[in-house]
């Protein structure tokens, strides 16, 4: 089985840097999306692909590919996690990873996060992966419809990503393919901007995989380009001499990182062994601290409005230990005039997200009550 490949990546129209990376090293192809908004997202995606790239040239038997691929993804997770724990500037970084290895008449798939893999066969596009996101979990539980999930404000919140925890669960699948099939790997910068029906139309129309990949990126930018966009299009063709263009070379495989850097895949770097008990203790404290912050909620002020925050309303060493989870339209200045809510600027803590939302609901009721005119007393 031979693969023709086209690949493209773009920073989009909003982001300042490209945190996506992709790999085309026949028989291994992958897309990684560094966690948006996290410092070091581009480092995480690049690092993960460097570790996984060894699978492209390890020379093991085909029946062992799933196990070798899974182990390398888990090693990539530990490598990103360790790097984040060793360098404060990279704390909290992570990445998605969706990868396939081409075998004889089949693809071996590994997946973590919300980058996606699709199969196009006979003009019909079918998803091969499930998003590891909060809204997808709600869809699976029947609490949201797919249509509601597509526009949900928290649709980008991941429940699984490389580098966040020391261990990671990897989704795997074996996909039977035949000549004429087309595989699409992409970051959510495409799927969050372009409807699947439009993606299906584009990948069905262009016979050249590079042209299809470029058109998908252009469509995402035309729709707003609110995130980095990466696409890898793979065509399954008969085993015949490869044409000189748009081919993944088996003789000189490479890793294409954030659209601008090529590095050899075979053990290009060896990462330092963990630096003893001090580093272990630091990593443990970081994980414990993150878990603690994820369970803390408070109501405070953001840009003059009442807002729901996740974390604690303090700063440590100049680092904010909180983030805005949900904004409201309630004016903070009006709420601060009411005696019960004069502590908004410092943050009003709550025992849970639900309790924090109840506080916001009470603030809204109090503001409405304050706007209502007091009844006039009629003379006897």
């Amino acid at each position: 089985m031979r693969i023709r490949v086209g690949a493209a990546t773009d920073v989009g129209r909003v982001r300042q840097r490209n945190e996506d990376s992709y790999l085309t090293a026949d028989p291994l192809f992958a897309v990684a999306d560094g966690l948006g908004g996290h410092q070091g997202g581009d480092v995480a995606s690049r690092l993960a692909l460097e570790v996984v790239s060894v699978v492209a040239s390890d020379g093991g038997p085909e029946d062992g590919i799933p196990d070798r691929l899974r182990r390398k993804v888990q090693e990539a997770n530990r490598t990103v996690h360790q790097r984040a724990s060793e360098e404060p500037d990279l704390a909290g970084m992570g990445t998605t990873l969706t990868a396939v290895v081409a075998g004889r008449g089949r693809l071996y798939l590994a997946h973590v996060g919300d980058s996606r893999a699709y199969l196009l066969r006979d003009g019909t596009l079918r998803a091969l992966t499930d998003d590891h996101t909060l809204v997808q979990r709600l869809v699976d539980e029947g609490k949201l419809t797919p249509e509601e999930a597509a526009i949900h404000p928290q649709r980008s919140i991941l429940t699984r990503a490389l580098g966040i925890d020391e261990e990671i669960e990897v989704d795997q699948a074996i996909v039977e393919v035949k000549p004429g099939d087309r595989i699409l790997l992409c970051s959510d910068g495409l799927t969050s901007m372009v409807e699947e029906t439009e993606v299906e139309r584009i990948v069905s129309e262009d016979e050249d995989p590079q042209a299809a990949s470029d058109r998908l990126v252009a469509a995402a930018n035309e729709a707003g380009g609110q995130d980095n966009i990466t696409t890898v299009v793979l065509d399954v063709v008969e085993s015949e001499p490869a044409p000189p263009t748009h081919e993944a070379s088996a003789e000189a495989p490479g890793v294409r990182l954030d659209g601008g850097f090529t590095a050899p895949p075979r053990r290009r770097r060896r990462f330092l062994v963990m630096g003893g008990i001090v580093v272990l203790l630091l990593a443990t404290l970081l994980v414990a601290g993150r878990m603690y912050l994820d369970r803390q909620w408070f109501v405070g002020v953001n840009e003059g409005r009442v807002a729901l925050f996740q974390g604690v309303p303090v700063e440590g060493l100049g680092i904010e230990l909180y983030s805005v989870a949900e904004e409201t339209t309630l004016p903070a200045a009006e709420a601060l005039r009411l005696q019960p809510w004069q502590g908004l600027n410092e943050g009003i803590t709550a025992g849970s997200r639900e309790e924090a939302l109840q506080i916001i609901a009470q603030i809204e009721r109090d503001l409405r009550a304050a706007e209502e005119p007091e009844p006039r007393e009629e003379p006897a």
Side-chain angles (χ1 to χ4, degrees), residues 16-268:
Q16 298 301 309
R17 62 180 180 182
N18 195 343
E19 296 182 333
D20 286 1
S21 301
Y22 69 83
L23 181 151
T24 54
D26 195 356
L28 174 64
F29 309 91
V31 167
D33 178 1
L35 294 187
H38 289 252
Q39 188 169 6
D42 52 340
V43 176
S45 64
R46 189 160 54 238
L47 194 57
L49 291 190
E50 287 176 355
V51 175
V52 174
S53 66
V54 176
V55 178
S57 52
D58 62 7
E62 182 171 332
D63 59 3
I65 289 176
D67 187 52
R68 297 197 301 275
L69 182 57
R70 174 182 53 80
R71 290 202 306 267
K72 276 300 173 184
V73 173
Q74 292 173 334
E75 180 184 336
N77 173 70
R78 291 190 295 270
T79 300
V80 174
H81 184 271
Q82 179 180 335
R83 179 78 173 272
S85 67
E86 291 175 341
E87 300 185 29
D89 289 345
L90 301 179
M93 73 175 179
T95 183
T96 70
L97 178 63
T98 300
V100 295
V101 178
R104 291 187 294 271
R106 58 183 56 181
L107 295 177
Y108 300 91
L109 171 69
H111 167 67
V112 176
D114 64 350
S115 294
R116 294 181 183 177
Y118 290 94
L119 169 66
L120 179 74
R121 175 175 291 173
D122 299 327
T124 300
L125 192 70
R126 176 170 66 91
L128 300 176
T129 55
D130 292 323
D131 291 347
H132 297 141
T133 60
L134 176 62
V135 295
Q136 184 59 49
R137 178 186 294 173
L138 295 175
V139 170
D140 295 340
E141 294 173 352
K143 298 178 180 178
L144 282 179
T145 65
E147 293 74 20
E148 291 170 334
I151 60 173
H152 197 282
Q154 295 176 333
R155 60 186 177 276
S156 297
I157 297 180
L158 295 176
T159 56
R160 201 188 306 176
L162 269 64
I164 304 304
D165 298 309
E166 290 183 299
E167 301 298 329
I168 192 71
E169 180 183 354
V170 182
D171 285 0
Q172 291 191 267
I174 299 176
V175 183
E176 301 291 336
V177 292
K178 61 183 181 180
D181 286 347
R182 172 169 280 185
I183 305 297
L184 168 64
L185 308 179
C186 62
S187 64
D188 71 333
L190 172 68
T191 53
S192 64
M193 302 304 301
V194 183
E195 295 287 344
E196 282 192 6
T197 53
E198 179 66 7
V199 172
E200 180 181 75
R201 184 185 67 81
I202 293 172
V203 295
S204 299
E205 288 180 351
D206 276 298
E207 293 185 4
D208 179 32
Q210 186 60 51
S213 190
D214 291 338
R215 278 190 62 192
L216 289 169
V217 170
N221 273 325
E222 289 171 5
Q226 296 184 5
D227 200 352
N228 307 146
I229 314 146
T230 298
T231 59
V232 174
V233 177
L234 310 174
D235 282 353
V236 181
V237 298
E238 297 286 357
S239 296
E240 59 185 22
T245 59
H246 308 318
E247 296 300 317
S249 170
E251 296 181 356
V255 182
R256 187 70 172 178
L257 305 174
D258 69 74
F261 172 67
T262 303
R266 287 189 62 87
R267 293 176 170 83
R268 181 175 178 269

Side-chain angles (χ1 to χ4, degrees), residues 324-347:
V324 177
E326 188 172 326
E327 297 179 342
T328 76
T329 59
L330 303 178
E334 298 298 325
L336 286 166
R337 293 193 181 98
L338 304 178
Q339 193 279 331
W341 313 119
Q342 293 177 358
L344 266 179
N345 280 329
E346 291 74 31

